[in-house]
Amino acid sequence: MDITATFRLSQADLRRAIRNSPGIRTISIFCVLLFLLGLFDQAFGSKPEIWLLIAGPALLAFMELVGVRLAAKKSASLLATPWTVRITEENFTLHTGTSRAEVDWSAYRQVTARSGFWYLQQTNKAVAFVPQRAFDEARLAQVSAFFAHRLPPLKRPWYRPFG
């Protein structure tokens, strides 16, 4: 298999990709849990702590306004030129206007599809993303099947403790 696709990212695409990346999603889930803990504390606590109720949404808003938007703004130079991605049996290559990376598949541990992007996570937690819209329908199916075969989902023991 040797598939190449060229695409352009808009500022909104880049923000959406950053917002839905695994690290930011984890922080978002933590913020929601903190808010729910605050609600539980307000309802059942003998001495409720209001900061628990405020901390989750405040951290989520801060992360969106500062983290996601600032990261997208810093990466604005990447949007000036088209990106090219090449997927072969041996490696994954991403070429932007400012950089070129060619990484062997053994460096990746999983791929996640979310919000129109594939997130390829390396064993060192670095993440590359590729918009699914960069591929036509036939190639999209071919790349999806390749990812499912090459990088199967990680088994999570808390999903199936007896499986």
Side-chain angles (χ1 to χ4, degrees):
M1 179 176 85
D2 189 350
I3 295 178
T4 303
T6 301
F7 57 92
R8 280 193 107 98
L9 286 177
S10 68
Q11 192 77 334
D13 289 335
L14 185 58
R15 281 195 308 268
R16 193 172 76 241
I18 294 169
R19 187 179 299 119
N20 287 294
S21 66
I24 299 295
R25 293 280 292 203
T26 301
I27 294 170
S28 299
I29 290 169
F30 172 74
C31 291
V32 169
L33 291 174
L34 193 59
F35 177 71
L36 292 174
L37 181 64
L39 283 178
F40 184 79
D41 184 50
Q42 289 295 314
F44 302 109
S46 61
K47 186 179 175 193
E49 298 287 339
I50 191 71
W51 71 268
L52 280 173
L53 196 59
I54 297 170
L59 183 60
L60 198 59
F62 178 78
M63 184 180 59
E64 170 64 27
L65 294 174
V66 176
V68 172
R69 292 184 186 269
L70 188 61
K73 188 176 182 180
K74 283 183 177 181
S75 301
S77 64
L78 296 173
L79 306 178
T81 58
W83 293 20
T84 302
V85 62
R86 182 175 179 213
I87 299 169
T88 66
E89 293 286 334
E90 295 81 32
N91 56 38
F92 171 78
T93 305
L94 179 63
H95 182 81
T96 69
T98 58
S99 66
R100 184 172 199 276
E102 186 172 316
V103 183
D104 206 41
W105 286 114
S106 62
Y108 290 99
R109 69 178 208 164
Q110 77 177 32
V111 64
T112 307
R114 183 179 296 121
S115 298
F117 290 92
W118 279 304
Y119 294 91
L120 297 134
Q121 189 169 18
Q122 294 181 10
T123 54
N124 66 358
K125 303 280 186 182
V127 176
F129 62 87
V130 179
Q132 294 173 349
R133 67 171 170 76
F135 302 96
D136 60 23
E137 296 224 8
R139 289 187 175 182
L140 183 66
Q142 190 177 4
V143 171
S144 294
F146 175 76
F147 285 157
H149 170 72
R150 188 66 177 209
L151 299 166
L154 293 176
K155 293 182 180 179
R156 303 196 190 282
W158 56 86
Y159 285 179
R160 289 186 244 152
F162 304 109

